[in-house]
Structures are given as C-alpha cells and as structure tokens.
Amino acid sequence: VIVGGGPTGLACAIALARRGWGNIEVWERLAKPPSSDSSVWGDASRSYNVGLSGRGQAVLKDLGVFDAVIDKCAVVKGRMDWGPNGEPKERLANKTYDTQVIQRDRLVSVLVEEIEKKYAGKISVSYDVACVGCEFGADGVTLERGACGENCDLAAARAQGKTVTPVVFGAEGNTMHSAVVREMDRNAACGAKVIKFPNTNPRVYKTIPIHLPSDMRKDLNYSARTKAGVALECLPTKEGLLIGIMLVKPEDEETCVKLSNKESLKTFFDEHFPMFVPWIKDEDIESMANSKFFGLPSFGYVDKSLNMGGQGALLGDAIHTVKPYFGLGVNSAWEDVKVLVEALDDANGNTSVALPHYSKKRAADAKALVDLSRSFDGGFMTFVLPLIVDSIFNKVAPWLFMPNTIQMLQREEWSFSAIAKRKWLDRFMQGTVIMSFMSAVGYAALQLTRQYVWPFVARALLRGGA
C-alpha cells in the first residue's frame, strides 16, 4: 500500500509496477482530480504551479511518462523581474535543460491517466480514503482506512476498516497527522525522528490569473516586488495564461486587509504592480479579493531512519519538507523514488535489505536539502550575501570554486549531501582567502605606517618642540 496519491505516491506506484510488482494500492484522502484536458486548469485558484527541473525530468524519463507530462507543461526559459524601482530586467537561463511548469493537480491527473492506461492490472488508486491508523507487526502492517473528502482533516477522520499489507510506503507529507509518519516516529524499533522547524519567515499567498497580450513572451517567469517585501510571482501554463501568486507576510495586517477588498486590491495593484494592471480582468480582482489566504509549509525532515525494517519506508515531503521557492519539492521527491527502486534492484526485491539501504543512502540527502533550503529563507546574510560571494569567487577562479548553491542544486549529478559538503569547503576556502587578503592589507598598512607615517609624526613633534 502507498499512502498518498500525489506526485510522489503515484510515481512510486509506477516505478514499482515497472519492476514487476502487482496488487499495488494507492490511498488518496482527497477527491480524484479532473482530466488533464479539462478546462478547469484555466482557473488560477484550482492549483498552484510546480517547476520540473533536470532532476525531475530525468526521473520522468526513467518512469516512461516524460512525454505525457511534458505535453501538459509550459516551458520557462528565464525571468522578467521588476524591482522595487519599477525597472524591468529580462534574464534568460543558461542551463542544459528547459524548466517545465505544470499545475500540481494537473500533474497528478496525468500520472493517474498513465496508470489507468498502462498499469490498470497492477495499480489501483482509491480516492476519499485516508490512512488513520498504522501498526507494524510480525504478520505485516495493519492499516486502518477512513473516509475523507476534499476538505479532509486527517485528525478528525475515523477508521472504517482495516487492511493488512506486507509493506507500506508513506508519501503524504511530513505531518504527525499522517498515520505512517506518526507510527514510525513513535515506534522505538524504527528509530525515525520527525524534525520540525519553527516558521521564522512565514508567508501567505493568494492567486490571480494574468492574461498576457500576444506580443509578450509566454516562456518567462514574470516577477515583481515592493519595497515592503510583497512579491508577485507569475508562472505560465500550457494554455498561455499566467498563474500569479502574491506573497505577503501574515503579520502585515494592513496589506492583508487591502488584498481582501476589491477596491483596495485594485488600488494596491495600481500603486505597486502597475505593469500587471493591463493584463488583469476586473472579475479576477474580485475573485482574488474574496478568496482565502493559503500558507507555505514549514521546514522539516525525518532524521536517523526512513524505514521500518523491510515493512515500511517514507519518501517525498514526508522526509523533506521545503518551501516551494526553487522547485526542489517534487523533483527531490521523485529522486527518492529513483533511489528506492535502485535499492530494490540491488537487493533483488528483498525489502528487508532494500529499505534499510534506501534509508542509509537518502537520509543524509533529506537533511542536507532542508538545511540548504533553510539558508535561502534567512534574508541577506544567509541567502543574498553567500550568492554574491559565490558568484565572485566562481568568476575569478572557476577551477577552484563551485557556482552558487542554487545553481548547484539544479545539477542532478550532485546529491544534496555532496552539495552541502562542497559548499562547506567553498566557505572554508573563501574565508581563508578573505582573511589572507585582510592580513596582507593590514601588514601593508602597518609597514606604510612604520615607513612614512611615524617618521612624519616624529618630525612634526620635533619641530613643534623646537
């Protein structure tokens, strides 16, 4: 049984079916998404966009679903940014691949359709089914099912039946409301420990569709921000519509109030984002004003162990929860699936050998990913300044210093733990160079002082004494 029918759980099911597994059940607590060809994907409030990087695209190819997913994606080749001064700047990406963007729920729909078309005899996906209980035992894993709807609250769901399975994969997020996560964290025989960090830089958001004119590029991430830190990030869809996400600090109550009234929201756009005003319809302003705020997740990961013997394993957001700023969420989750399948192949399908091996190989990466992502969330000193320093050193000595951390994360050949170690080495070498330079400058200043300043001061004092 795979608990969680999002991009991670469905990719895991496809991967297992491709290596010969059958009777795979996927439990999803929410309702089935609309068809990937449905007109609802023109509704900006229906689902947020996710970016598929080289890491994620490589896994999609391994799973044989790359073409189906890309068919519903929009290409993003760079950014168009407006700074607080209102001046636009276009920057095209210099990468070996094009980032692909798709609505998260539409991605789920594509994967479900691939399962129904290719793996109907091996995989069954059940909707409105929550896992509300989990117990590992000698005879297998006992899971309790509970009915759930679109606004399902896992904490309130009640058991309506039991299923015994030889192995369970938890892929429904890093929350103690997840029965599999909760049981693995509680069970002393497992050793897993859920680590959650306080949200020290919270953001809430609302969405709005942006209708670009025909003469504007449809393959850019359009972005603008105010001096107060309100940001508008807009990503394209296959249909050409942009989905705009306006991010604001929840403690900025004045702005939150403005964003919840049609007239004040129109004024806010006129004052702070005038470049987008011609591309926004009046009815969309009203819809955004009447919509609720959504929050971004807090950082978290699972420490020490990601498996329970050969009976269970966690993957995806269940083991590394990050904020969706740099396209690390779904792409890293699919890499979990890749590592899991490689472990199964190495162990000839023996989960008692494969799952501990998966845990040993992936736990360090989960922690490193979250640690690196948290550094992006800390402001100038922990995010902007290191990027600037990395860029300078890499430009001066590319044979010695690696590119900045964001660029490194886009290189699928580098694991997250390897990136963290390499960045530590870069910081050490950068610090050594800076300290050596400062010491040289200080020594030179001291020698100049001894050779010129002190003799001059001494002569001046002597003249004064005479």
Side-chain angles (χ1 to χ4, degrees):
V1 173
I2 299 171
V3 179
T8 308
L10 295 174
C12 182
I14 293 172
L16 294 176
R18 286 173 64 85
R19 73 171 320 278
W21 286 38
N23 195 27
I24 303 167
E25 294 184 26
V26 180
W27 294 3
E28 172 53 44
R29 64 187 179 89
L30 302 180
K32 185 177 182 179
S35 162
S36 64
D37 291 320
S38 172
S39 61
V40 302
W41 305 117
D43 180 1
S45 64
R46 184 63 181 80
S47 177
Y48 58 86
N49 277 1
V50 294
L52 309 183
S53 69
R55 292 178 182 273
Q57 291 178 37
V59 177
L60 290 177
K61 292 175 182 178
D62 291 342
L63 297 179
V65 297
F66 178 80
D67 291 338
V69 172
I70 297 304
D71 183 59
K72 297 298 186 290
C73 289
V75 176
V76 174
K77 293 184 176 293
R79 297 178 63 89
M80 174 70 81
D81 292 308
W82 285 269
N85 60 1
E87 292 296 323
K89 183 177 182 180
E90 180 180 302
R91 294 177 295 175
L92 297 181
N94 182 23
K95 297 183 293 190
T96 58
Y97 63 89
D98 288 328
T99 297
Q100 303 286 336
V101 176
I102 185 173
Q103 299 95 323
R104 186 266 184 194
D105 287 355
R106 191 180 205 174
L107 172 60
V108 168
S109 183
V110 174
L111 295 178
V112 169
E113 289 165 3
E114 286 294 289
I115 287 174
E116 293 173 344
K117 181 169 61 176
K118 300 177 180 178
Y119 307 104
K122 294 184 175 181
I123 304 171
S124 63
V125 183
S126 301
Y127 295 94
D128 302 323
V129 176
C131 179
V132 298
C134 174
E135 184 178 355
F136 295 96
D139 297 326
V141 188
T142 301
L143 302 176
E144 293 182 296
R145 303 184 305 276
C148 227
E150 187 169 352
N151 298 314
C152 175
D153 179 2
L154 278 175
R158 295 292 179 266
Q160 295 182 340
K162 293 184 179 182
T163 295
V164 178
T165 178
V167 62
V168 61
F169 297 99
E172 61 175 347
N174 188 343
T175 169
M176 294 302 284
H177 292 315
S178 166
V180 181
V181 172
R182 185 172 64 247
E183 174 61 16
M184 288 182 62
D185 179 79
R186 181 197 66 81
N187 197 315
C190 175
K193 184 61 179 177
V194 175
I195 307 295
K196 299 289 287 185
F197 295 96
N199 197 347
T200 57
N201 189 25
R203 292 290 189 277
V204 293
Y205 70 90
K206 288 190 174 190
T207 60
I208 187 168
I210 308 292
H211 305 267
L212 286 181
S214 58
D215 60 341
M216 294 287 290
R217 294 188 63 156
K218 304 296 195 299
D219 58 356
L220 296 178
N221 175 181
Y222 288 84
S223 172
R225 62 189 183 279
T226 70
K227 293 180 180 179
V230 180
L232 182 61
E233 293 285 344
C234 309
L235 287 169
T237 63
K238 180 178 174 61
E239 288 73 21
L241 181 76
L242 296 185
I243 295 181
I245 295 180
M246 187 174 290
L247 293 152
V248 60
K249 297 177 181 178
E251 64 267 24
D252 185 358
E253 296 182 3
E254 181 180 354
T255 299
C256 289
V257 170
K258 289 179 180 178
L259 301 187
S260 301
N261 175 273
K262 179 182 178 181
E263 296 305 318
S264 61
L265 179 56
K266 287 180 64 176
T267 302
F268 189 84
F269 268 102
D270 290 336
E271 292 177 351
H272 299 287
F273 301 117
M275 66 291 291
F276 288 96
V277 170
W279 311 331
I280 299 176
K281 296 180 179 180
D282 193 64
E283 59 264 32
D284 294 328
I285 288 282
E286 182 174 10
S287 178
M288 178 180 177
N290 293 332
S291 67
K292 66 178 183 179
F293 284 100
F294 294 92
L296 299 179
S298 299
F299 293 105
Y301 67 93
V302 174
D303 197 19
K304 299 186 184 302
S305 175
L306 309 181
N307 71 293
M308 176 62 179
Q311 293 185 316
L314 302 174
L315 61 165
D317 284 350
I319 64 172
H320 45 66
T321 306
V322 297
K323 294 184 179 180
Y325 291 151
F326 302 101
L328 298 174
V330 68
N331 296 287
S332 59
W334 284 343
E335 277 198 334
D336 298 339
V337 174
K338 179 181 179 180
V339 174
L340 173 65
V341 171
E342 289 174 349
L344 287 167
D345 288 341
D346 292 342
N348 295 319
N350 185 343
T351 58
S352 295
V353 175
L355 299 192
H357 179 64
Y358 158 76
S359 176
K360 183 178 180 180
K361 188 172 182 180
R362 201 57 178 165
D365 279 333
K367 182 180 185 302
L369 171 60
V370 173
D371 287 341
L372 290 168
S373 299
R374 288 183 67 214
S375 71
F376 301 154
D377 200 45
F380 180 82
M381 293 301 296
T382 62
F383 177 34
V384 180
L385 182 60
L387 294 182
I388 295 173
V389 173
D390 281 344
S391 298
I392 293 173
F393 276 88
N394 177 250
K395 186 175 183 180
V396 173
W399 46 270
L400 181 60
F401 296 98
M402 300 300 291
N404 66 57
T405 307
I406 293 177
Q407 291 176 311
M408 290 289 290
L409 287 169
Q410 304 305 320
R411 296 186 174 185
E412 57 266 30
E413 70 272 17
W414 281 77
S415 68
F416 299 124
S417 54
I419 292 172
K421 291 176 182 177
R422 176 63 211 210
K423 278 293 127 188
W424 181 91
L425 179 60
D426 275 357
R427 297 286 175 263
F428 176 79
M429 292 190 295
Q430 289 165 358
T432 301
V433 171
I434 292 171
M435 290 300 295
S436 299
F437 175 77
M438 292 177 64
S439 297
V441 170
Y443 179 78
L446 179 61
Q447 294 304 310
L448 288 172
T449 300
R450 287 176 175 175
Q451 187 171 356
Y452 298 106
V453 177
W454 287 120
F456 174 79
V457 172
R459 287 194 297 269
L461 291 173
L462 288 174
R463 286 197 298 269

